[in-house]
Amino acid sequence: MSRRRHSDENDGGQAHKRRRTSEPIEIEDRLESLICRVGEKSTSSLESNLEGLAGVLEADLPNYKNKILRILCSVARLLPEKLTVYTTLVGLLNARNYNFGGEFVEAMIRQLKETLKNNLYIEAVYLVRFLSDLVNCHVIAAPSMVVMFENFVSVTQEEDVPQVRSDWFVYVVLSCLPWVGKELYEKKDVEMDRLLSQIEGYLKRRVKTHVPMLQVWTAEKPHPQEEYLDCLWAQIQKLKKDRWQERHILRPYIAFDSVLCEALQHNLPPFTPPGHMPDAQYPIPRVIFRMFDYTDAPEGPVMPGSHSAERFVIEENLHCIIKTHWKERKTCAAQLLSYPGKNKIPLNYHIVEVIFGELFQLPLPPHLDVMYTTLLIELCKLQPGSLPQVLAQATEMLYMRLDTMNTTCIDRFINWFSHHLSNFQFRWSWDDWADCLTLDLEKPKPKFVKEVLEKSMRLSYHQRIVDIVPPTFSALIPAEPIFSYKYGDESGTSLPGYPVSITVSNAIKNRATNEEILAILKEVPNPNQEDDDDEGETFNPLKIDVFLQTLLHLAAKSFSHSFSALGKFHEILKNLTESDDGKLHILKVVYEVWRNHPQMIAVLVDKMIRTQIVDCAAVANWLFSQDMAHEFTRLFIWEILHSTIRKMNKHVQKIQKELEEAKDKLEKQQHKRVRDSGDDEDMEKNSEEDEEGQLEEQIERLQEKVESAQSEQKNLFLVIFQRFIMLLTEHLVRCETGSVDISTPWYKNCIERLQQVFLMHHGTIQQYMGTLENLLFTAELDHHILAVYQQFCALQL
Amino acid sequence: RSCRSGSRSEWTTVPSSPAKVTWLCCDFSTMSAKLNALTSDSYIEVSQYRDQHFKGNRYEQEKLLKQSNTLYVGNLSFYTTEEQVHELFSKCGDVKRIIIGLDKIKKTACGFCFVEYYTRGDAENAMRFVNGTRLDDRIIRTDWDAGFKEGRQYGRGKSGGQVRDEYRQDYDPARGGYGKLAQQHRSTERPNSF
């Protein structure tokens, strides 16, 4: 955990900043450094380093006890992958100083309470695991640990609490057992058996409606995608059958057994799990991602089975390493590759599986998608002789199983693969995938290749893509991303809008004013109006068409040119899109002209929302419209939709934040007034009251703004869900009446896109559950559609 | 110390700052320390580079760099488009705008650009995950920028492009071939063959 800079010239790191040796190094800094670094590569053995460090810390206890306590509490919480190193250290300290051991345990309990209060459930697991391993180090008495576990498991008896709450307490207990199961069973086997039996009962009656929504693949073969508690239970069962013999975990305390078993143990203070609070955010359930087994790693060490405790421990540790180091990809890659015990396992396979497991995790990956791409690139750099092959093998496997892969995961696979290829000159054995050429283009495999090539083109250019794929793949190559100007070619001259398009074009080139252009546009005939009854500003699609086609054509050179055009003629565009019809039509025209350049469509739609030329609901309606039905399964459609939803969400959050800030300001102001009352002269009192009055007004305005924004947000989701329901119902009814199988590629895509909306925005959608249930997801709905809603509800039950 | 103005390849040294002391919180009520060793985030740190043309003092520049949402992106191919930059950098968040760096004389792309995000957090992710990876087959470099101002989109080399292309000796087909100085030498060296 050093402050090493990444000074490799070959990729953008920071220049190495040499530490000035003349600087006085604070004792605390040194202590922190010593403690954080123990366990890293060293010329001495881990045992001698721990021994040495224990001596140093013991000597510093009189003066720096609190600092040391806090540092140790931190590493327990933040460096779970080095759990046993630090429990050993604490064990040694406890053996030398019983009081310190007691204080540390108390501090840990306080910290545990804090983390639970703050919804930091992942870190709380690490703390409990640390405590349980302290049993192995003779710091904590086994019976008191069992009591804590019993208290945790008793949560399963609570009534009217979300299942995810009791899930967490069961998970914590089970996840400690690979570390401490043996010791606890030796001391308290009857109690432990009772505990496990209670857990078994709970697991049997748990509701698992949520599972299908979280599985990366729908197929059970070659590896079942198990619910996380089921998998862990199976692993613990097997461990128990093996009489708790666990051989993977590095246990430095064994070497110190003679010292440690002389130590006096502490009893954990009785710990009552904090009660359920309505605003508690328990972790949502997961499905364990499996893509490899021992048959996939051809030579070398055998991969531990999916139901082995070893597999659990390895994956936990690898996840922890990523969680600790994700911000620094070089360190992260190095730490992953230097995993202790790596010689006994096919480490590259574990790493690749864990990384893809996170990337494909539903509802959302723990970290930004692009982090995983660059992490894999770093790993390839550090292990050029072995890791790229495993990665290629994994890619091949993922491709083979596309038919049953969740659409959201396919999206991420597309983005990852194209970005990865762009870092390796797009080198790939495309011919290996020639099987996709014989399939219908809507099937997952050819669709995947098509989308990958489209994304690859965005990162390069059209000719590059033509060059990198075999000629047999030409049907999958994306169209050249050029503008389609209806008034541009021969046939355009006969169109009704043609004459005006010339006039407008010249006007724009001659820098005419907005008024002048609007006057020109007035001449455009309105195909919607039968006679010339002047109804004022009725919606005229041809006007929009002529103006926008011409403008965008002139600005087609780049994104910046187009943005500039939208900005310059904002007034006209707002004028043309006053009505909902107008908004819809402008989107139609944008699509028409840029249909071969989906990336441009996306950025233009983004700009138009941000400059309020169109609103979010209009975009949603447009995407679901009949005109866009033929593009409905393309990735860019969903990228636009989700980007639109995100903009809406950010907008609401922004105003809410402004409101909170104004409220805080008012509160401070009011406190100040109370504090200062009696001291001030009348003049100051008045100005203070004025300020408060202004703030109150501002708060009222912001309150209205928030309500209006939330209403717009709710409406957006209603529109989207309504459209989904309409489309899906139509399909299901049609299939039923025609006695046709509902499972077409289109249907799989559509139903999983509905799932995707729930999953990607589950936090925001939660607040509108009532409305959704009352208005849309009622019992009358086809059960296929209702199932998606029920699975979503089950995520936080 | 020598410093060629505006060049990214010659770092100007930052004036020595007072010794950085890490104070651990001495508050008894905090449960655990915020460990500096564990919160390392070196990829997002401000580099040694300072814009010589910046209007303001070093302190002001540093302040802006620390709050900026804008990144300078270097080592681009002259042929890399705004679209490609947008696609890559959008992986870290919504991009507010991209300004392609231009040759001052020719007004054509000369191998750098600015990428501005809506939030600092997104720009930080670009420093962590895009800096040092490839775009158009070239390793690109990102660095904090104090903020785009009109005029900063032009190269500051004598020949109109970037300073780094004035003096380099290597042949880079994606950046106009040989460095400008080397090109001149080559043209004077070539024997007149009529």
Side-chain angles (χ1 to χ4, degrees):
Chain A
M1 309 323 128
S2 69
R3 274 183 252 207
R4 230 178 306 130
R5 306 289 193 260
H6 307 276
S7 56
D8 185 355
E9 270 306 334
N10 283 331
D11 39 61
Q14 306 299 326
H16 184 77
K17 215 191 256 184
R18 221 175 299 120
R19 183 174 261 173
R20 282 175 251 242
T21 49
S22 57
E23 252 179 73
I25 299 174
E26 294 289 335
I27 304 279
E28 294 97 344
D29 214 5
R30 188 179 66 91
L31 284 174
E32 197 187 291
S33 175
L34 283 174
I35 293 172
C36 289
R37 295 177 105 144
V38 77
E40 284 179 20
K41 235 190 215 151
S42 160
T43 45
S44 326
S45 71
L46 174 61
E47 285 77 24
S48 83
N49 283 336
L50 280 171
E51 180 94 59
L53 181 56
V56 166
L57 294 178
E58 189 195 2
D60 281 330
L61 279 181
N63 295 320
Y64 297 100
K65 184 184 66 175
N66 286 319
K67 270 81 169 167
I68 293 171
L69 272 177
R70 285 201 299 275
I71 298 172
L72 289 174
C73 279
S74 285
V75 298
R77 191 169 50 94
L78 300 173
L79 286 176
E81 62 270 25
K82 287 171 75 178
L83 169 66
T84 51
V85 170
Y86 291 117
T87 52
T88 307
L89 180 62
V90 172
L92 292 173
L93 287 171
N94 179 59
R96 295 166 188 237
N97 188 322
Y98 177 77
N99 286 333
F100 177 79
E103 285 189 66
F104 176 75
V105 172
E106 276 168 21
M108 283 288 283
I109 294 292
R110 279 199 302 273
Q111 203 188 192
L112 178 59
K113 287 193 178 130
E114 276 298 303
T115 48
L116 287 175
K117 210 164 66 162
N118 291 307
N119 284 318
L120 297 170
Y121 289 97
I122 301 178
E123 293 184 355
V125 172
Y126 303 152
L127 293 176
V128 176
R129 211 178 274 161
F130 196 94
L131 289 171
S132 71
D133 201 47
L134 286 179
V135 171
N136 293 323
C137 300
H138 297 262
V139 178
I140 291 178
S144 69
M145 195 73 225
V146 175
V147 168
M148 180 182 246
F149 283 173
E150 284 170 346
N151 285 340
F152 280 7
V153 174
S154 69
V155 171
T156 59
Q157 305 300 318
E158 287 176 7
E159 289 181 356
D160 292 325
V161 293
Q163 180 174 281
V164 284
R165 170 179 161 83
S166 28
D167 279 354
W168 185 82
F169 285 97
V170 165
Y171 175 76
V172 164
V173 171
L174 289 177
S175 76
C176 292
L177 294 183
W179 280 266
V180 76
K182 182 154 182 275
E183 190 67 24
L184 295 184
Y185 251 82
E186 272 172 22
K187 300 275 159 53
K188 287 277 179 182
D189 63 333
V190 171
E191 285 81 353
M192 288 302 293
D193 267 336
R194 192 165 48 217
L195 206 66
L196 287 186
S197 159
Q198 266 186 301
I199 291 177
E200 187 173 17
Y202 171 73
L203 293 177
K204 282 208 175 93
R205 49 175 208 269
R206 262 179 96 227
V207 168
K208 291 193 287 198
T209 322
H210 53 272
V211 173
M213 195 181 226
L214 304 177
Q215 288 175 315
V216 172
W217 291 287
T218 52
E220 282 290 296
K221 292 200 157 55
H223 308 113
Q225 305 294 295
E226 287 180 289
E227 212 264 356
Y228 79 113
L229 276 182
D230 289 340
C231 185
L232 182 53
W233 175 249
Q235 289 163 333
I236 299 303
Q237 288 289 83
K238 182 163 186 298
L239 184 60
K240 180 173 175 205
K241 237 197 238 138
D242 292 341
R243 289 171 319 130
W244 306 100
Q245 299 298 329
E246 189 290 320
R247 279 174 242 287
H248 179 82
I249 297 173
L250 179 78
R251 298 178 195 259
Y253 38 81
I254 294 177
F256 293 103
D257 198 47
S258 53
V259 168
L260 293 177
C261 69
E262 297 293 310
L264 289 172
Q265 295 167 345
H266 305 266
N267 283 318
L268 275 175
F271 186 91
T272 328
H276 172 62
M277 302 295 285
D279 62 344
Q281 285 159 25
Y282 303 101
I284 53 179
R286 284 172 291 128
V287 165
I288 301 297
F289 179 81
R290 285 265 177 282
M291 68 180 294
F292 290 132
D293 62 31
Y294 72 97
T295 61
D296 296 306
E299 308 134 356
V302 173
M303 192 172 220
S306 60
H307 283 171
S308 67
E310 282 78 17
R311 193 71 176 264
F312 174 77
V313 171
I314 294 165
E315 286 170 357
E316 261 300 283
N317 285 333
L318 294 177
H319 282 300
C320 288
I321 291 173
I322 296 175
K323 184 171 187 289
T324 304
H325 299 289
W326 65 271
K327 291 182 190 160
E328 300 196 315
R329 62 201 202 225
K330 270 194 148 95
T331 309
C332 195
Q335 289 289 325
L336 285 171
L337 289 170
S338 57
Y339 179 68
K342 62 184 174 174
N343 296 318
K344 303 202 211 105
I345 53 176
L347 182 61
N348 286 341
Y349 285 87
H350 284 291
I351 290 175
V352 168
E353 188 179 66
V354 163
I355 289 177
F356 277 128
E358 289 201 10
L359 178 63
F360 295 134
Q361 187 172 303
L362 295 169
L364 294 167
H367 303 286
L368 198 57
D369 295 34
V370 69
M371 186 281 281
Y372 300 105
T373 312
T374 45
L375 179 59
L376 284 168
I377 293 173
E378 284 303 318
L379 287 163
C380 285
K381 273 196 215 155
L382 290 177
Q383 293 268 287
S386 55
L387 206 120
Q389 291 85 321
V390 177
L391 198 51
Q393 189 182 352
T395 308
E396 183 65 36
M397 289 167 97
L398 292 170
Y399 168 81
M400 297 295 286
R401 297 176 201 170
L402 277 170
D403 286 336
T404 55
M405 192 184 224
N406 184 297
T407 304
T408 303
C409 300
I410 298 181
D411 288 352
R412 297 187 203 158
F413 184 22
I414 292 165
N415 285 323
W416 167 73
F417 190 50
S418 52
H419 187 189
H420 180 84
L421 285 180
S422 75
N423 273 271
F424 296 95
Q425 301 108 44
F426 294 105
R427 279 183 273 122
W428 184 249
S429 45
W430 298 99
D431 279 314
D432 287 352
W433 289 355
D435 64 326
C436 77
L437 299 171
T438 57
L439 297 168
D440 174 287
L441 287 181
E442 281 299 305
K443 285 261 153 59
K445 281 181 184 166
K447 200 166 188 22
F448 166 76
V449 173
K450 211 160 174 269
E451 297 281 6
V452 164
L453 294 179
E454 196 179 306
K455 283 283 171 149
S456 299
M457 181 179 71
R458 293 198 199 184
L459 289 168
S460 58
Y461 48 94
H462 188 259
Q463 186 57 42
R464 189 81 200 277
I465 305 306
V466 174
D467 292 339
I468 61 163
V469 293
T472 42
F473 276 70
S474 55
L476 300 177
I477 293 175
E480 235 190 300
I482 46 182
F483 191 90
S484 304
Y485 190 38
K486 82 200 291 187
Y487 301 113
D489 56 18
E490 290 260 323
S491 54
T493 54
S494 53
L495 292 170
Y498 179 76
V500 185
S501 78
I502 299 291
T503 323
V504 167
S505 180
N506 289 330
I508 293 174
K509 286 185 204 163
N510 293 325
R511 301 177 196 281
T513 64
N514 285 349
E515 286 80 31
E516 288 165 350
I517 295 180
L518 276 170
I520 296 169
L521 289 175
K522 260 212 173 82
E523 303 307 309
V524 177
N526 189 341
N528 283 353
Q529 266 179 300
E530 287 177 349
D531 20 61
D532 38 8
D533 55 334
D534 201 61
E535 290 186 359
E537 296 305 313
T538 46
F539 162 59
N540 183 343
L542 192 58
K543 214 196 252 194
I544 296 176
D545 189 74
V546 168
F547 178 66
L548 197 55
Q549 286 240 6
T550 310
L551 178 66
L552 290 180
H553 178 236
L554 288 170
K557 185 150 186 247
S558 76
F559 287 179
S560 285
H561 286 84
S562 297
F563 295 160
S564 181
L566 288 181
K568 233 189 197 161
F569 296 98
H570 184 252
E571 205 190 302
I572 299 184
L573 291 167
K574 281 285 279 188
N575 176 291
L576 292 173
T577 60
E578 249 180 78
S579 64
D580 282 345
D581 283 329
K583 294 186 173 69
L584 207 56
H585 199 75
I586 203 177
L587 292 163
K588 256 171 109 169
V589 174
V590 167
Y591 169 75
E592 222 183 275
V593 296
W594 279 119
R595 59 183 176 271
N596 289 323
H597 196 349
Q599 190 194 13
M600 174 67 99
I601 298 177
V603 303
L604 287 177
V605 171
D606 175 84
K607 257 308 176 263
M608 293 195 295
I609 293 176
R610 289 184 191 272
T611 53
Q612 297 172 317
I613 295 172
V614 298
D615 57 32
C616 295
V619 174
N621 276 318
W622 163 65
L623 292 171
F624 280 94
S625 70
Q626 190 53 39
D627 288 332
M628 296 300 283
H630 63 295
E631 304 279 38
F632 196 68
T633 57
R634 281 182 71 186
L635 181 50
F636 82 91
I637 296 289
W638 302 98
E639 288 181 334
I640 294 176
L641 182 69
H642 288 290
S643 171
T644 303
I645 299 174
R646 270 198 309 270
K647 277 190 276 285
M648 182 78 248
N649 296 346
K650 285 196 181 139
H651 175 66
V652 171
Q653 281 165 5
K654 181 162 162 270
I655 310 179
Q656 279 173 331
K657 191 160 167 254
E658 283 175 28
L659 177 62
E660 288 309 305
E661 283 169 358
K663 281 186 176 163
D664 283 341
K665 227 173 145 189
L666 180 67
E667 216 179 294
K668 282 201 183 91
Q669 193 69 10
Q670 285 170 336
H671 283 168
K672 185 164 169 281
R673 185 158 57 86
V674 167
R675 229 183 22 240
D676 297 343
S677 67
D679 299 347
D680 302 334
E681 301 189 6
D682 284 328
M683 287 227 298
E684 279 186 36
K685 271 214 187 86
N686 279 340
S687 74
E688 269 180 14
E689 275 169 15
D690 273 342
E691 223 180 296
E692 265 180 50
Q694 271 178 4
L695 272 175
E696 280 167 0
E697 245 183 72
Q698 190 191 20
I699 286 174
E700 223 182 281
R701 267 184 285 122
L702 283 173
Q703 194 78 51
E704 277 171 26
K705 245 179 126 181
V706 165
E707 277 161 19
S708 151
Q710 282 176 326
S711 166
E712 199 188 330
Q713 185 183 51
K714 181 162 74 172
N715 184 53
L716 177 61
F717 282 115
L718 282 176
V719 165
I720 292 170
F721 287 130
Q722 238 161 12
R723 294 299 214 135
F724 265 118
I725 290 173
M726 274 162 48
L727 282 174
L728 286 165
T729 308
E730 220 179 272
H731 171 86
L732 289 165
V733 164
R734 208 181 321 124
C735 289
E736 208 181 314
T737 41
S739 300
V740 167
D741 185 17
I742 60 166
S743 304
T744 60
W746 179 92
Y747 174 74
K748 179 181 188 286
N749 182 283
C750 190
I751 195 99
E752 288 178 357
R753 291 296 180 192
L754 171 60
Q755 265 180 3
Q756 188 183 44
V757 174
F758 278 115
L759 291 175
M760 281 180 72
H761 309 282
H762 65 94
T764 319
I765 296 175
Q766 298 277 1
Q767 23 175 333
Y768 303 121
M769 298 281 274
T771 314
L772 292 176
E773 204 155 319
N774 288 333
L775 289 183
L776 297 178
F777 294 97
T778 58
E780 288 92 49
L781 216 52
D782 185 299
H783 67 97
H784 293 98
I785 309 173
L786 200 54
V788 174
Y789 179 71
Q790 288 164 342
Q791 286 161 13
F792 167 70
C793 293
L795 284 181
Q796 262 291 309
L797 277 180
Chain B
R1 57 193 156 123
S2 71
C3 34
R4 294 204 182 89
S5 50
S7 163
R8 294 259 161 194
S9 57
E10 287 102 355
W11 306 114
T12 58
T13 49
V14 177
S16 50
S17 47
K20 187 166 174 246
V21 169
T22 323
W23 296 107
L24 281 182
C25 181
C26 298
D27 188 358
F28 271 87
S29 66
T30 50
M31 295 298 115
S32 58
K34 185 176 189 284
L35 301 177
N36 290 304
L38 290 185
T39 55
S40 178
D41 199 358
S42 57
Y43 280 79
I44 67 168
E45 282 166 13
V46 173
S47 74
Q48 311 274 40
Y49 174 86
R50 295 293 177 269
D51 182 1
Q52 294 300 300
H53 291 200
F54 178 77
K55 301 271 188 320
N57 61 40
R58 282 292 150 99
Y59 170 76
E60 285 163 356
Q61 192 175 163
E62 218 164 293
K63 186 156 174 267
L64 285 175
L65 291 174
K66 290 204 170 116
Q67 341 162 301
S68 171
N69 299 347
T70 306
L71 298 175
Y72 162 87
V73 185
N75 200 38
L76 296 179
S77 153
F78 285 10
Y79 307 104
T80 298
T81 60
E82 187 187 347
E83 285 74 0
Q84 286 170 282
V85 173
H86 193 280
E87 177 70 12
L88 181 60
F89 282 83
S90 292
K91 292 179 187 293
C92 300
D94 291 336
V95 170
K96 189 170 177 185
R97 75 176 158 165
I98 294 169
I99 296 140
I100 298 287
L102 303 174
D103 182 298
K104 198 166 191 148
I105 300 164
K106 296 188 224 161
K107 301 295 199 291
T108 54
C110 68
F112 73 99
C113 74
F114 297 101
V115 174
E116 187 187 343
Y117 286 96
Y118 288 98
T119 68
R120 168 114 183 151
D122 291 343
E124 287 177 348
N125 279 331
M127 290 290 286
R128 293 183 188 115
F129 308 127
V130 176
N131 188 13
T133 66
R134 290 185 191 267
L135 180 57
D136 248 349
D137 295 316
R138 303 172 66 86
I139 304 266
I140 59 171
R141 235 169 269 287
T142 66
D143 198 1
W144 292 109
D145 188 81
F148 176 74
K149 287 245 164 10
E150 180 55 39
R152 297 193 66 235
Q153 72 268 43
Y154 297 112
R156 294 172 182 169
K158 260 196 319 216
S159 314
Q162 291 200 277
V163 174
R164 65 205 299 258
D165 291 310
E166 289 291 316
Y167 304 102
R168 64 178 173 79
Q169 298 291 316
D170 62 320
Y171 180 78
D172 190 346
R175 288 184 73 102
Y178 288 102
K180 293 294 158 53
L181 208 63
Q183 275 177 24
Q184 283 175 25
H185 285 161
R186 280 178 175 268
S187 64
T188 56
E189 269 167 26
R190 230 183 320 128
N192 288 328
S193 48
F194 286 106

